[in-house]
Amino acid sequence: MQAPRDPSSSARRAALAAMPKAELHLHLDGSLRVETALELARTRGVDAPRDVAGMRAALVAPMPCASQAELLRAFDLPIALMQDAEALERIAAELVETKAADGVRYVEIRWGPLLHVARGLSLSDGIAAVARGARDAATRTGTVVRLICTALRSHDPTANLELAETAARFRDDGLTGWDLAGPEERFPDPALHGAAFDAARAGGLRITLHAGEWGGATQVRRALAMDPERIAHGPGAIDDPALCRELIARGVTLDLCPTSNWQAGIVPSIAAHPLARLHRLGVPVSLSTDDTTVSDLTLTDEYERALDEIGLTVDELWAIDRHALDAAFADRATLDPLAAEFDAWATSGQAAQGAGRR
């Protein structure tokens, strides 16, 4: 029998769950509900487990994985299930609902549209489906949603250029960001996709990219050549003081995901993650889950681990959460009311309720 949760721990958990949260680093294809995956596998004729336990085992990656490559294999089944507009719209809507239930008031969802055209879905129709699902769920829940189009390092640069040009046409539908992700060790140079970055920027999309999932600080520095506002991951920056100073000077935020970084073998443990050290140095950071299903956690879970295992104080955690709104890929007319809501919560006394001070 599981031991009962300590009352003070339960109160703090409730306080963290109630905290208004902003999440900037979240993958759609890594956040598919198990029950939805089962239904899609059945109705789409996809070879996949047909029971909850089997599907959960297929969707949740090992803890930890042997490498980033092993972690990426956990996305193969979700991508196979997400090859039509109805599936994409449903999964996007459900993810927004999941996040809203966890107190996430602002969320950016990223996905790779080129991964979802294997059965004939057009780029435009696929993007429109995700935007529609996100918008409808945002209306129902009140959570503010923005979308980030992710190109893959392994894809042809010409295809990514077309993707950037297509994605930019959806700015009025909430698609505001451009990202590059995928197998970093095999394709370490983001400049190969420079034309796509240029087209995304010219189209009004704001720039982030994955870096440092392999290659540490060297890869984070390499990513800066793309002139991003934010970098997804990049915990290895802690090993290069000059790089940390440059990130501070340029105001580049690292969107960190400690559990996922441990799961991918980037750090030896969650406790060893440099989130707290980077924040205390003054490097701008945000805190996210990366994937709710592949990493099997909520943002509240990640916040608890940041306090208990990494050693953040509650005040530091709040500062990181609040900074996410300043780094978000949305306009001030959208963000200012949210910032006021967050600030009012922090001064209302709820912030300390049950959470304690460290």
Side-chain angles (χ1 to χ4, degrees):
M1 178 182 296
Q2 185 177 8
R5 182 184 283 267
D6 179 84
S8 62
S9 175
S10 297
R12 193 191 65 176
R13 171 79 184 191
L16 291 174
M19 178 189 293
K21 295 179 279 292
E23 185 164 18
L24 304 184
H25 188 168
L26 178 65
H27 291 267
L28 182 67
D29 52 3
S31 303
L32 175 57
R33 290 178 179 175
V34 171
E35 296 78 8
T36 299
L38 284 168
E39 182 179 336
L40 291 175
R42 176 178 55 80
T43 56
R44 271 65 173 176
V46 175
D47 183 19
R50 291 295 195 261
D51 61 273
V52 170
M55 184 61 78
R56 169 171 281 278
L59 295 179
V60 178
M63 297 276 188
C65 296
S67 64
Q68 183 199 22
E70 183 181 11
L71 178 65
L72 291 176
R73 284 196 289 274
F75 294 85
D76 291 345
L77 178 56
I79 289 169
L81 297 171
M82 298 166 66
Q83 293 297 327
D84 62 82
E86 181 185 9
L88 287 167
E89 181 177 347
R90 174 180 176 177
I91 292 164
E94 289 179 348
L95 180 53
V96 174
E97 292 166 353
T98 295
K99 290 296 166 177
D102 192 35
V104 178
R105 298 288 297 116
Y106 176 88
V107 62
E108 292 180 0
I109 299 172
R110 63 186 74 198
W111 87 111
L114 280 171
L115 295 172
H116 305 283
V117 297
R119 296 186 187 174
L121 184 67
S122 71
L123 272 180
S124 291
D125 287 347
I127 293 171
V130 173
R132 190 165 53 247
R135 181 181 61 247
D136 291 350
T139 299
R140 290 194 301 274
T141 63
T143 290
V144 178
V145 185
R146 292 295 181 267
L147 303 173
I148 297 175
C149 179
T150 299
L152 274 292
R153 291 173 178 265
S154 53
H155 285 168
D156 184 90
T158 302
N160 282 337
L161 174 57
E162 179 188 358
L163 176 61
E165 292 170 344
T166 304
R169 297 200 289 268
F170 286 85
R171 284 183 61 210
D172 290 342
D173 295 291
L175 199 165
T176 56
W178 174 261
D179 177 30
L180 181 71
E184 195 171 3
E185 183 174 5
R186 287 171 50 213
F187 302 93
D189 188 1
L192 292 173
H193 304 281
F197 277 92
D198 291 342
R201 187 176 277 111
L205 301 181
R206 297 170 69 176
I207 305 301
T208 183
L209 73 159
H210 282 63
E213 293 177 277
W214 169 87
T218 299
Q219 282 297 106
V220 178
R221 184 175 293 283
R222 203 170 199 175
L224 291 178
M226 298 294 100
D227 195 22
E229 293 184 50
R230 303 192 334 235
I231 289 174
H233 300 304
I238 193 68
D239 299 323
D240 185 338
L243 174 60
C244 288
R245 290 193 294 270
E246 185 172 357
L247 292 169
I248 295 167
R250 294 172 61 162
V252 175
T253 293
L254 300 180
D255 293 328
L256 298 171
C257 308
T259 296
S260 178
N261 289 165
W262 166 66
Q263 189 178 25
I266 300 171
V267 294
S269 66
I270 296 173
H273 196 280
L275 168 68
R277 287 175 286 155
L278 286 162
H279 174 68
R280 290 164 188 165
L281 281 174
V283 176
V285 296
S286 71
L287 180 58
S288 299
T289 60
D290 205 4
D291 310 284
T292 62
T293 305
V294 169
S295 296
D296 192 26
L297 81 162
T298 66
L299 191 55
T300 297
D301 292 334
E302 195 76 302
Y303 278 24
E304 276 198 308
R305 293 172 187 181
L307 294 173
D308 293 338
E309 300 185 50
I310 297 174
L312 283 179
T313 67
V314 172
D315 289 337
E316 288 171 330
L317 178 64
W318 175 252
I320 289 169
D321 182 26
R322 181 61 179 79
H323 169 71
L325 288 182
D326 296 329
F329 288 170
D331 57 34
R332 292 317 314 175
T334 298
L335 293 171
D336 285 347
L338 277 172
E341 176 188 324
F342 276 47
D343 294 343
W345 184 89
T347 58
S348 68
Q350 297 178 74
Q353 181 183 357
R357 280 288 188 260
R358 290 169 48 189

